[in-house]
Amino acid sequence: MERGGIGGDDEEAAAAPKHRQQRYHAVESQDRAVVQMTSTEPGSSTAAPRPMKPGTNLSIGPRTKMTSSNGHAVPNVSQSDSKLELFGFDSLVNILGLKSMAGEQPQATTSPRDGEDVGITIGCPKETEPKLGTLMGVFVPCLQNILGIIYYIRFTWIVGMGGIWQSLVLVAFCGACTFLTGLSLSAIATNGAMKGGGPYYLIGRALGPEVGISIGLCFFLGNAVAGAMYVLGAVETFLDAVPAAGFFQDAPTVVGGTTVSTPSLHDLQIYGVVITILLCFIVFGGVKIINKVAPAFLVPVLFSILCIFIGVFSAPGSDAPKGITGLNMTTLADNWSSDYQPTNNAGVPDPKGSIYWDFNALLGLFFPAVTGIMAGSNRSASLKDTQRSIPVGTLHATLSTTGMYFISVFLFGALATRDELLTNRLLAATVAWPGPAVIYIGIILSTLGAALQSMTGAPRLLAAIANDDILPVLNCFKAYEGSEPHVATLFTSFICIACVVIGNLDLITPTITMFFLMCYAGVNLSCFLLDLLDAPSWRPRWKLHHWSLSLIGASQCIVIMFMISWTFTVVSLALASLIYYYVSLKGKAGDWGDGFKSAYFQLALRSLRSMGANQVHPKNWYPIPLIFCRPWGKLPENVPCHPKLADFANCMKKKGRGMSIFFSIIDGDYHESAEDAKTACHQLSAYIDYKRCEGVAEIIVARSMSDGFRSIVQIMGLGNLKPNIVVMRYPEIWRRENLTQIPSTFISIINDCIIANKAVVIVKGLDEWPNEYQRQYGTIDLYWIVRDGGLMLLLSQLLLTKESFESCKIQVFCIAEEDTEAEELKADVKKFLYDLRMQAEVIVVTMKSMEARTELSAGAKKDPEEEHASAQHRIKAYLSEMEETAQREGRPLMEGGRQVVVNEEKVKKFLYTMLKLNTTILKYSRMAVVVLVSLPPPPLNHPAYCYMEYMDLLVVNIPRMLIVRGYRRDVVTLFT
């Protein structure tokens, strides 16, 4: 499929039958986008797809089949085109659908928040560049990046400084690191289609956008600095070959009686800046020119290496220096051990030098010689088959260069004396056949080609990070499809010039090493995590890997970082950590289906299975509130939840730990209101995030509020992670809104909670509930009437953990039937609270004291006695009306579709009990900031209207109250 339209490429066109062509038609705009294909005869005017504008209606041919979103076929369709009508089958699913899943369809730059959906656009097919195979697409770029300046002008010096055996260890150590990273890279690259961004794309999609961007930016810096290293290598080689081209002359260094001249630092800076600017202009010319020229740079490299090997076997020549002995076993034995010496800034041994070398320092210097294995993955968009080319090309390039390094260690170690190895930095050019000029040309072309590749790849990596639209600060580096990343190129050139001004190759290479090692560790950790989790989507074609190899590779990368330099490692990790923190703080939310999300999911599943279905021990019990957001009252449509419910939900958690489930019920038919429910769920989720409340949102569509609650209370949650407390607002407005519906719904919800064994917390005075900044002073009073498993005690302790209630004290009120039981009950409750580690004042109220008349407080708005009389009058009128209706219709007493039984004596008793309890609360809890009282269960077959009158009498004149009912289990324990 071509970019920008629907159509086959040349190969598909060649494979298609010549006497038939394919024609695409689109359905009408109001239906779901379904594109069909019909056959047309050769020479037809409709044989080729025509450009279309979005939203344009097309004329439909007589044989075109259209399927609407509900699966019904459009009339006037032949029977042969309707065989799959029942399935709503799209005949192009194998072409459009599968290619969209493979990421072959182009689209505008999108954020990962959009889910990386790939749309289908219709138009003229665009010409695309020919795809590259394994050789030119992966192997050659990797080989060109690996074989660089280090091998030509530093490898003989490394053999002289570290000796043959330590050089072999060095090559093996670095080669093993890149080989294991290549295995991990191959596994991830063969697990699906790849997009632009190279290792950043792989790491980001495996470990998440935060890790991906932090490592990706460090990898970008590594590539930018590597460009400076290659430029300095080319300039140094040029000045060594043509000393007269230098503008400045440094004092020569005498080593063992031999005078050694090195290029001036200022010459390196001047030539380096000029060459970097010239390369920047070439990069501005476009990537197509670079991709055509870049393979030509590899030919001089391979030829120069062949000339080096020919020269080594034919050495020493007639004009060779005395230090070149030719392949000699005595020389091999002399160079077997290491001889670390101090050097000056140019790497020339100097007893007064300020740079001291050891194995770790050589490791930092040599490691850039094995980097470059990511060159193939960076070109994934240009490969014919990424899942085959990347593993084969990358690993073959790694093994080939590592084998060449091993051979070179023995050859250089047996070729020249140690002094010659340390002082003649261009020893490879000195011994090369037919002369040094070949090597000079090869070095310059290879280093300039590698620098060009670095300055080309780094801006595109930065543009890929910016195009993901995670960090707004990177928006200036975006490069849309078909355009060059000019701003990113300028920024990369600025970094290269800054590093060139440093002018010291040996100081730059450890910096590059850290950034590349960090990227390699990220690739290994990505493969380790994906392989260890073994998600259903993890099915790599590359089978020669195991999570243990990835773990070893990641560990080796980290070890190498610390071996090279603690300082550089700490700085690099600190830089990556700062970027990670910045992305977490300022970045836009995105879900790439990364491994961490899979790890969280599997960890949650394991934890859920380990918890089982048995009851949680009271020591491990956490409140999981199910919060009814809009049960009663009128809230604006754009307000998904009462503003104070989230504040109260946070009060039920200790230090914010725990989960809350916020839910609402939409009345109506599910098929008609499904989209409204999704919109409401998004709004509720945004509200939860805004209130910083740990919880999830759920929306239920049901015929009625009672049916919806009955469904959610049964099915919500898994195992022991089901909600255990139902939280809702007290319906204070039931009288003026709806006399019958609210009482019956309120009773139904409470009864459903009792049957489902859920605790209930009803909040009265929710509008006055304090937020986290409103500090309260006074008492938290508990009227502990019935055994509730300690839920009321636990809620009071959770309130004390909040800043708004931490200055309050707890008072526990217990009711004794006889005065003689008061002291014994008080002692028992004190002992119980002491064992529970609760500090509270215990007050015992006797039934006799409750009977005494209580003086009305000055702040009371209503007289409880008058409210009691009014309630009796309203209940009597309501029952009389109900009896008249029943007699008139000849049926028993009915309320809300259920039969009720009225016992006037019980009604009077319940009203009187609520009156006395209310007056007792007003007597003892005038200074209470919140009152907790046990919730009386609704009497069986009792009118809902009467129960609401009881509750109204209980809460009258009390500004803030929690009405609590526990369930059949303990939530606190006496034992440690």
Side-chain angles (χ1 to χ4, degrees), residues 320-331:
K322 296 182 180 179
I324 299 178
T325 63
L327 297 179
N328 190 295
M329 291 301 298
T330 303
T331 307

Side-chain angles (χ1 to χ4, degrees), residues 310-344:
I310 294 175
V312 168
F313 284 103
S314 61
S318 57
D319 56 346
K322 296 182 180 179
I324 299 178
T325 63
L327 297 179
N328 190 295
M329 291 301 298
T330 303
T331 307
L332 180 70
D334 293 339
N335 293 330
W336 183 259
S337 61
S338 61
D339 185 15
Y340 294 105
Q341 305 175 30
T343 65
N344 58 16

Side-chain angles (χ1 to χ4, degrees), residues 307-388:
C307 293
I308 291 174
F309 282 108
I310 294 175
V312 168
F313 284 103
S314 61
S318 57
D319 56 346
K322 296 182 180 179
I324 299 178
T325 63
L327 297 179
N328 190 295
M329 291 301 298
T330 303
T331 307
L332 180 70
D334 293 339
N335 293 330
W336 183 259
S337 61
S338 61
D339 185 15
Y340 294 105
Q341 305 175 30
T343 65
N344 58 16
N345 291 335
V348 178
D350 187 354
K352 300 179 180 180
S354 58
I355 301 178
Y356 296 89
W357 295 89
D358 55 10
F359 182 82
N360 295 345
L362 289 185
L363 185 61
L365 177 62
F366 174 72
F367 193 83
V370 297
T371 59
I373 61 174
M374 299 295 178
S377 63
N378 289 337
R379 300 185 175 204
S380 56
S382 302
L383 299 177
K384 292 181 181 178
D385 185 0
T386 58
Q387 300 188 31
R388 179 183 180 275

Side-chain angles (χ1 to χ4, degrees), residues 3 121 206 253 269 336 356 393 460 576 645 685 701 754 821 825 844 846 883 946:
R3 295 184 177 271
T121 57
T253 304
Q269 294 170 340
W336 183 259
Y356 296 89
R460 280 151 183 78
L645 268 177
S685 298
V701 180
I754 295 175
E821 300 175 356
L825 178 60
V844 177
T846 62
E883 290 175 355
C946 297

Side-chain angles (χ1 to χ4, degrees), residues 166-182:
Q166 288 197 14
S167 300
L168 292 175
V169 173
L170 183 66
V171 172
F173 197 46
C174 296
C177 178
T178 55
F179 180 74
L180 292 177
T181 304

Side-chain angles (χ1 to χ4, degrees), residues 571-616:
V571 171
S572 301
L573 294 178
L575 176 62
S577 301
L578 287 176
I579 298 175
Y580 180 93
Y581 177 75
Y582 182 78
V583 175
S584 303
L585 192 65
K586 299 293 185 180
K588 298 180 182 179
D591 186 5
W592 291 343
D594 54 87
F596 282 129
K597 300 293 177 61
S598 178
Y600 299 153
F601 180 76
Q602 293 202 22
L603 182 60
L605 290 180
R606 291 186 180 182
S607 301
L608 187 61
R609 289 196 301 265
S610 65
M611 291 173 63
N614 299 325
Q615 290 187 351
V616 179

